[in-house]
Amino acid sequence: MIQTCLFPAAGYGTRFLPATKSLPKEMLPILTKPLIHYGVDEALEAGMSNMAFVTGRGKRALEDYFDISYELEHQISGSSKESLLSEIRNLMQKCTFSFTRQKTMKGLGDAINKGRTLVGDEAFGVILADDLCINEDGVGVMSQLLEVYEKYRCSIVAVMEVDKEDVSKYGIVEGKYIEDNLLIVNDMVEKPNSNETNSNLAIIGRYILTPNIFHFLDKTKPGKNGEIQITDALLKEAKDGMVMAYKFKGKRFDCGSIKGFVEATKYFYELQYGNE
Ligand code: G1P
């Protein structure tokens, strides 16, 4: 069983300016729940109850969201509105929340490395909350990764096929299939040009990482865009031992983009209110 899920949440969310000038992008709501809430739900479903956040300046709303709001709760206590808080209250009872900060933006790899103090010396999940995933007919993506982890005990990334012209937006994986949906990674490159890779298997924001990754992150130099990339550290781990890529079941919305965010909103609206 993996206890901890790490949520790198230090990014600026510039694509949603001006909304994200004072609101963390992870707090943007799909219907009534912020993106981060969906991520925490998915982690909890996978049995992870220690939620660890790497935040940055201007992200205090995340901490407040997972805390009691006495004034608000007092105001609506006994009214019909009380039930609107029951889901988040329930979540808060089942989880612990811890926070640390990434002081300078040095990339996803650096953010994950900053989470080390919260994670300890055990395997952990990673969820990038702006990749919103849902598997309507079965278990969530983190639970799927956990099942693979329990069998192979190595770092695993969730992947999906993307159009060739989109490979430059993702970490791209090449490897050898050992099961229908599972590959052993032999190459990985962060946001390649389409002529730099033959693969269209893109990493989405779900990982299970072994604590070894911190050792490789310490040795990883700035890569794409001058940032420390988790993809580069994972390639080191793949070469040294083993990393797997798992083609997940379900849907993923890129809620870091306006198009993906609107698509997710429509999808969840249909799901929740479609029959009304
Ligand atoms: C990050 C990772 C990238 C991955 C992507 C998934 O990039 O660096 O490898 O494919 O998340 O969303 P970002 O989108 O943060 O630039």
Side-chain angles (χ1 to χ4, degrees):
M1 188 66 105
I2 295 183
Q3 310 283 342
T4 304
C5 189
L6 190 68
F7 295 86
Y12 294 126
T14 45
R15 278 183 283 181
F16 281 92
L17 282 171
T20 45
K21 187 164 171 259
S22 58
L23 181 75
K25 63 174 173 162
E26 297 79 10
M27 287 302 294
L28 292 170
I30 299 294
L31 308 184
T32 56
K33 284 199 303 189
L35 285 168
I36 196 75
H37 188 141
Y38 290 89
V40 169
D41 277 343
E42 189 184 322
L44 190 61
E45 187 217 35
M48 302 170 185
S49 59
N50 174 17
M51 308 299 169
F53 299 82
V54 181
T55 66
R57 282 180 294 284
K59 297 272 188 167
R60 257 178 290 175
L62 285 168
E63 292 188 46
D64 291 340
Y65 184 71
F66 293 110
D67 197 356
I68 292 168
S69 168
Y70 281 108
E71 200 179 320
L72 175 67
E73 302 208 7
H74 176 74
Q75 279 290 328
I76 65 174
S77 157
S79 81
S80 59
K81 294 197 176 125
E82 207 176 354
S83 63
L84 299 175
L85 287 179
S86 55
E87 196 178 338
I88 175 71
R89 270 200 208 135
N90 199 5
L91 194 68
M92 281 162 52
Q93 269 170 11
K94 291 184 180 152
C95 310
T96 61
F97 301 91
S98 53
F99 298 84
T100 189
R101 284 192 183 200
Q102 184 189 27
K103 293 186 191 71
T104 45
M105 296 294 161
K106 289 198 242 160
L108 179 57
D110 180 66
I112 291 175
N113 213 1
K114 291 285 179 300
R116 189 178 197 158
T117 46
L118 305 177
V119 162
D121 197 25
E122 283 172 28
F124 59 102
V126 176
I127 290 185
L128 306 184
D130 48 14
D131 276 342
L132 178 52
C133 294
I134 178 161
N135 183 22
E136 249 191 89
D137 322 312
V139 296
V141 178
M142 190 49 85
S143 293
Q144 295 171 40
L145 288 185
L146 190 64
E147 208 174 296
V148 179
Y149 176 78
E150 277 167 355
K151 198 160 162 199
Y152 295 98
R153 304 269 154 182
C154 65
S155 291
I156 306 151
V157 296
V159 293
M160 64 181 227
E161 289 182 28
V162 296
D163 293 338
K164 210 61 187 138
E165 60 269 25
D166 286 335
V167 295
S168 61
K169 297 181 188 159
Y170 299 92
I172 298 294
V173 161
E174 287 185 38
K176 187 171 171 289
Y177 279 92
I178 54 160
E179 288 177 30
D180 273 359
N181 290 323
L182 193 62
L183 306 88
I184 295 181
V185 172
N186 51 37
D187 203 5
M188 241 175 176
V189 49
E190 181 66 11
K191 305 195 175 90
N193 296 325
S194 52
N195 58 2
E196 282 176 289
T197 179
N198 292 321
S199 172
N200 69 339
L201 279 182
I203 303 171
I204 59 129
R206 299 292 182 277
Y207 308 74
I208 284 182
L209 302 175
T210 66
N212 267 347
I213 197 68
F214 295 122
H215 160 77
F216 295 108
L217 275 168
D218 284 341
K219 291 187 178 166
T220 300
K221 303 229 155 50
K224 193 83 188 183
N225 302 327
E227 296 180 333
I228 296 172
Q229 300 293 348
I230 189 65
T231 308
D232 296 342
L234 278 165
L235 180 59
K236 289 184 198 294
E237 191 174 12
K239 296 219 157 126
D240 187 73
M242 184 161 78
V243 170
M244 289 187 151
Y246 169 74
K247 275 167 90 175
F248 68 95
K249 297 183 192 76
K251 272 182 157 305
R252 169 257 184 187
F253 296 97
D254 172 13
C255 292
S257 76
I258 292 168
K259 185 167 176 278
F261 188 87
V262 172
E263 280 168 5
T265 303
K266 283 188 187 158
Y267 181 89
F268 279 84
Y269 183 81
E270 265 314 300
L271 202 64
Q272 231 165 296
Y273 303 104
N275 297 326
E276 286 181 10

